Each structure stands twice: as structure tokens, then as C-alpha cells.
Amino acid sequence: MVSERIQRQIDRLRDEAEQASAEQNWELVLEKARYVLTFDPENSARAAFLAVAESAMGARAKADGSPVTEADMASHRVIVAGVEGLNTPYPILS
């Protein structure tokens, strides 16, 4: 059980996540939902918000749990295409 003060903060973040969801601001939904889960890891409603936002953004999770979006993958493809022709022995990291 969390303290009353923490619960107020969770409630505020929940309201902000719901507003961001209504505006389809999925990055903000992700941010707020993750923040709630740092205070209350068992908060299933926020975990659901997180899943919806990640799905809406076309996100996949990296090993550390942070999202990889379609925009991330698109920029990666541009970087790889630009660097591949350099004929370097070093791996491409992006």
C-alpha cells in the first residue's frame, strides 16, 4: 500500500495519462504510465495504458523495457543505408 501523498501523485499522473490518451499523445501516455509504475508496479490499469500506447506507436520493447518505435526503426534504416557504403570494418550502431 502506498502513502496518501504518493497516491495523490499517482492519481495526478493517471489523470494526465488519460488526458494524453484522449489526445492520442502516445509518447506522453507512455511517460506518465511508466512513471506511475515506478511508484506502484502492481498498478494493472497503468500497465494496460502502457500496452495500448506502445501498440498505438507501433513500439516493441528493448531488453531494458524501453520502447523501440517504428520511427526509431525508420531512422535506423536511413542511418544504415548511409553508412553501409563506407566500407568500414566497424559495426553500425544506431
Side-chain angles (χ1 to χ4, degrees), residues 1 12 22 35 58 68 72:
M1 189 64 157
R12 180 185 55 80
Y35 198 38
V68 177
D72 294 326

Side-chain angles (χ1 to χ4, degrees), residues 1 6 11 14 23 28 30 32 34 38 50 54 57 59 71 77 82:
M1 189 64 157
I6 296 295
D11 292 343
R14 183 197 67 213
E23 297 168 358
L28 188 57
L30 282 173
K32 300 300 180 179
R34 281 196 189 107
T38 62
L50 193 62
E54 287 175 344
M57 291 177 63
R77 288 188 290 274

